[in-house]
Amino acid sequence: MQLVITMGIRQLPSVPRPLQDLYREHLEESVLAEELGFDNVWASEHHFSPDAWNPSPITFLAAVAARTERVRIGTYVLLLPFHNPVRVAEDIAVLDNISGGRVDLPVGVGSAAQEFHTFGIPFNERLGRTFEALRIIERCFAGEEFSHKGKYYEFPNVCMTTTPVQKPGPPIWVASMGEQSVAWTARRGYHLAAGAGRGHAKYEELLAQYGHDRSKRQVASIPIRVHIADTRERAWDEALHFYRTRVDLQSATSAAGVLGRLPTVGRFRNVPGIGHRGTPFVVGTPDEVGRALEAYRDKRLTHLSLNFHQPGMDTKAVRRSMAMFAKELMPIIRAW
């Protein structure tokens, strides 16, 4: 089992801090991830969000690449419909060279309607744009001159002079959960960046149907929010800053399903299966977190994605949690 640290770099809107401090903290946590033995550092993307969610993961990952030597880096996920695919191929190729061939390219189709509206991209084109763009990116990585004229993109005489270290290119992952997206991902043989979610079983079924070797395909879990401390009370107190102020009734879930209302902060931690979009928060002592993560042991995953830094959290608590995980749980999970 490979262990991924996901970096969703975000403010706590009610208590804003200088962004330069926030990015510096996440960069130092990325360096620590390598020192502690984690395998991947992946960074996410969103735009125009009140929490100032990082809109430029490739830029951040270039800084990570310059400060590390072993850990793989990647975009989890790059919202591909918002980007020119040739420019993505060039940026990823440069990043792969800076890192010495350590880049993964997980992408997603996007889900926030406001982002599509502001960028002037029709929301109903997100799926088609994503998979057409991936074909263009693959051809760019190959380094041969080509022209492309498709439904959404037209590029005459593309001649990539900067190609990746990895051949035929950095691994491509897709965060597929919907029926069409899963089918296209499996047919193309891309890796799956939404393991243990809806669509995972269908992806594996279709891989075989389309003649791909399942043993050569990688599957990463949906990011799991994790925090560890020496007591359950301390762990929840340190992790709850974000959830004290944010109310997202469409996303708040428990073991019983979508919540009609968020419980008060004092009761929040006691709701069985409390989480986000069906993925429970994993908060507590090392023993408690280890038991909770056992649920992912038999999900046919190659990568377990862990998000340690929630908006508003103190980086000292985050770093301590990462170190406790590495000492107490990493050897156990590696053996899965």
Side-chain angles (χ1 to χ4, degrees):
M1 180 70 72
Q2 302 291 292
L3 293 167
V4 181
I5 298 277
T6 63
M7 294 288 174
I9 305 173
R10 309 157 71 183
Q11 285 274 26
L12 185 65
S14 60
V15 190
R17 299 179 54 229
L19 283 176
Q20 61 183 4
D21 294 346
L22 194 64
Y23 280 93
R24 185 182 307 111
E25 289 173 0
H26 281 78
L27 178 57
E28 294 302 328
E29 289 166 16
S30 299
V31 174
L32 177 63
E34 176 169 89
E35 294 172 355
L36 291 174
F38 288 91
D39 302 288
N40 303 67
V41 171
W42 288 352
S44 57
E45 168 191 8
H46 273 297
H47 301 269
F48 325 121
S49 173
D51 57 15
W53 198 312
N54 175 22
S56 187
I58 295 175
T59 304
F60 173 75
L61 292 169
V64 176
R67 293 282 305 276
T68 57
E69 297 181 353
R70 177 195 58 80
V71 70
R72 291 190 65 83
I73 57 178
T75 54
Y76 193 18
V77 291
L78 188 75
L79 301 175
L80 198 50
F82 303 145
H83 299 275
N84 179 308
V86 174
R87 291 291 293 121
V88 168
E90 290 179 323
D91 287 346
I92 292 296
V94 170
L95 185 61
D96 205 45
N97 278 275
I98 291 173
S99 67
R102 292 185 279 135
V103 175
D104 291 297
L105 180 57
V107 305
V109 303
S111 60
Q114 180 58 46
E115 292 178 325
F116 284 86
H117 173 74
T118 302
F119 280 118
I121 304 294
F123 191 73
N124 62 359
E125 294 181 0
R126 64 195 188 280
L127 193 64
R129 283 180 175 272
T130 295
F131 284 92
E132 184 176 329
L134 286 173
R135 279 295 194 215
I136 296 166
I137 291 169
E138 289 180 292
R139 297 190 72 180
C140 288
F141 285 164
E144 299 176 357
E145 184 173 351
F146 70 95
S147 295
H148 174 86
K149 186 174 183 179
K151 183 175 181 179
Y152 303 106
Y153 302 102
E154 182 174 353
F155 297 105
N157 307 114
V158 179
C159 184
M160 291 283 288
T161 55
T162 301
T163 54
V165 173
Q166 299 176 86
K167 304 301 180 186
I172 293 174
W173 305 61
V174 185
S176 296
M177 288 186 282
E179 184 177 340
Q180 281 186 291
S181 183
V182 167
W184 286 14
T185 300
R187 183 164 60 245
R188 299 268 189 93
Y190 299 137
H191 306 294
L192 182 66
R198 68 179 191 273
H200 184 171
K202 189 65 175 179
Y203 167 78
E204 294 192 332
E205 176 188 330
L206 291 174
L207 276 178
Q209 181 178 317
Y210 290 121
H212 297 295
D213 185 347
R214 169 64 181 85
S215 68
K216 296 181 179 179
R217 298 302 180 272
Q218 302 178 88
V219 178
S221 72
I222 296 169
I224 306 162
R225 289 173 169 84
V226 173
H227 186 63
I228 302 176
D230 51 0
T231 68
R232 184 175 187 274
E233 291 72 22
R234 182 180 185 183
W236 274 106
D237 286 344
E238 291 174 340
L240 262 180
H241 296 292
F242 178 48
Y243 305 102
R244 291 179 190 273
T245 58
R246 184 180 178 89
V247 176
D248 184 356
L249 295 181
Q250 287 71 44
S251 300
T253 55
S254 71
V258 178
L259 296 176
R261 65 167 62 183
L262 282 177
T264 61
V265 171
R267 296 177 54 204
F268 192 89
R269 66 192 69 190
N270 298 319
V271 176
I274 190 73
H276 182 265
R277 296 191 186 277
T279 303
F281 304 135
V282 180
V283 177
T285 64
D287 285 344
E288 290 172 319
V289 168
R291 287 195 298 270
L293 291 177
E294 279 283 339
Y296 297 89
R297 180 171 185 169
D298 298 319
K299 297 293 186 180
R300 303 182 305 282
L301 299 168
T302 60
H303 292 64
L304 196 66
S305 304
L306 307 169
N307 182 223
F308 283 90
H309 194 147
Q310 309 311 316
M313 286 185 67
D314 184 341
T315 187
K316 293 179 181 178
V318 173
R319 293 166 66 90
R320 172 170 40 78
S321 176
M322 291 170 59
M324 291 180 73
F325 184 98
K327 180 180 179 181
E328 304 289 341
L329 298 178
M330 186 179 287
I332 297 170
I333 295 174
R334 284 245 185 266
W336 287 3

